[in-house]
Amino acid sequence: MLVHRKAILEALLDKLPPDCIHFNAELASIAQTEHSAIAHFKDGSKWEGDLLIGADGIVSKVRQYIVPGVELFYLGDIVWRGIVEDRSFCPEGNFFVYVRGRGIYANFFHIGGGRTHWGFFIEKERTDSEIGKLQPNNITIPPQELAKLPDDARNVIESTPVENIFCRFSYDIDPLPKIYDGRVILIGDAAHAKSSTRARGMTSGWEDGLCLAKHLRDSANIAEALENFQAERLPIVHEYQRTSREMSLKIGRR
C-alpha cells in the first residue's frame, strides 16, 4: 500500500487531542523510578509517565539510554526523494523500478491525488568532511548521473519543485541486542533503522506500534508487556535489517 506521508500524519492528527502534542521540546536526559519514566527537556520542563516510547528516528536520543554508542552504517548511496504532480508517467496503481546499474538506482510510484513519489540513488563515497553527517555538502543531483535515466523518468525528477525534494546519505544501524530498558522502549527507526531495499521502514514502525499496543493491553503489567514485545519483535526486525542491508550492498552494484 503506497500512501502519501502527509495523509498518514493528517489521519493521526485528526484522532489526537490537540493538547497532547508539544513542539520545540528537545530531550536533555531521561531518568527512571520504580513506577515511572521521566524525560527532562532543555528548556527546563519535564514529563513523567508510566512508559516512555522513543520513536525519534535513526539518530535517536532515547536510544543512547538503552544501547549507548550506536553508530550509523553507511550503505554507499546519496538518496534524493521527491513528490511531484504527475498524471501521465506513473498512472494510478503503478510502481516503476529502474534496476541498479551504472552506479544509479531509481523508483517511481503513484501515491494518489495525481502525485508520484520518486527516489533517485547514486553510489558515492563520502568525503572526510561529510563523515557523520546526514546530508552531503552538495545536495544538487549531478546532471551526468540523472542523464543515465530514460527521458520520461528524468523529466519527472527535473519537474519536481526544489522544496519538494529531500536529500540524505543512506544509512542503517546494526541490529540492537535489546530495545527496552526498564520503562523506556524504542520503536521504528530508533530501534531498527534499515536500508530501504525491502521497503520496510515505515511499515515496520506501524507493526511495532500495533504489537506494543497488543502486549500493553494483554499483559499483567508494563514489565511483562515490554519483555513480550521484545521477544516477538526482535527476531522480525533483525531479519528485516539483515536482508535489507545484504540486498543494498550487493545487488547491481559496481
Side-chain angles (χ1 to χ4, degrees), residues 230-249:
Q230 178 172 270
E232 179 176 344
R233 290 301 291 165
L234 269 192
I236 296 171
V237 297
H238 283 180
E239 190 271 341
Y240 288 163
Q241 289 178 280
R242 177 183 60 81
T243 55
S244 295
R245 182 184 288 185
E246 285 178 359
M247 293 167 67
S248 180
L249 292 179

Side-chain angles (χ1 to χ4, degrees), residues 119-191:
F120 185 67
F121 300 61
I122 68 167
E123 297 169 24
K124 190 177 185 300
E125 293 300 320
R126 296 167 299 172
T127 64
D128 290 344
S129 66
E130 291 172 330
I131 292 175
K133 293 184 176 180
L134 293 180
Q135 192 175 67
N137 295 332
N138 183 357
I139 62 171
T140 303
I141 303 177
Q144 70 274 17
E145 302 294 343
L146 200 55
K148 295 176 182 178
L149 285 176
D151 290 347
D152 51 359
R154 186 175 67 253
N155 289 339
V156 169
I157 294 176
E158 290 178 336
S159 66
T160 306
V162 173
E163 62 270 20
N164 289 355
I165 299 176
F166 188 75
C167 177
R168 284 288 187 268
F169 286 118
S170 181
Y171 293 108
D172 69 6
I173 61 172
D174 292 337
L176 302 180
K178 62 178 183 176
I179 50 177
Y180 84 94
D181 182 82
R183 291 173 173 264
V184 181
I185 190 165
L186 303 171
I187 66 171
D189 279 355

Side-chain angles (χ1 to χ4, degrees), residues 50 183 212-229:
D50 296 322
R183 291 173 173 264
L212 181 57
K214 179 190 72 173
H215 287 298
L216 288 170
R217 181 192 66 216
D218 297 342
S219 302
N221 52 56
I222 286 178
E224 179 183 294
L226 300 192
E227 181 60 31
N228 291 341
F229 170 82

Side-chain angles (χ1 to χ4, degrees), residues 97-127:
V97 175
Y98 290 84
V99 177
R100 183 185 292 277
R102 297 184 294 164
I104 70 163
Y105 166 82
N107 57 43
F108 302 80
F109 49 90
H110 183 269
I111 56 171
R115 293 184 296 266
T116 289
H117 178 287
W118 56 263
F120 185 67
F121 300 61
I122 68 167
E123 297 169 24
K124 190 177 185 300
E125 293 300 320
R126 296 167 299 172
T127 64

